[in-house]
Amino acid sequence: MRATSQRWHIRAGLEQEYMTRHASVWPELERLFHELGVTEYRLYRFGRDVFAHMRVDDYDHFIRGYAESEVAQRWEDEFASLIELPNADPETGWPESGELVWALPAPHPR
């Protein structure tokens, strides 16, 4: 299991459109994420900045499967005009993965 994060920017003036489109994520996209081993995926918005946090069984498998998916391509096309990807990985096109600095350990059983 890998926890990873990414960040990107919403283009100026398109913040509400970005939020509106995420209000109804396609069920087939959600199924794809589950099929590719994603157990958790959260997006947080700070003004125009978006922070994503994901837990996935095999990140490389996820990236390959996502890139090959027609559903994922349609979703990416829907958002291409809304976002900017700083430091995108030249091989995958995905935003750069963040480095874990610290995590709260699980509580010890008593």
Side-chain angles (χ1 to χ4, degrees), residues 14 22 25-26 37 52 60 73 78 87 104:
L14 298 175
H22 273 94
V25 174
W26 307 336
D60 293 330
Q73 186 57 56
E78 286 281 319
N87 303 319
L104 178 67

Side-chain angles (χ1 to χ4, degrees), residues 30-43:
E30 291 179 346
R31 273 193 303 278
L32 176 65
F33 275 69
H34 289 294
E35 290 168 4
L36 294 175
V38 176
T39 59
E40 180 181 348
Y41 191 45
R42 298 171 188 260
L43 300 178

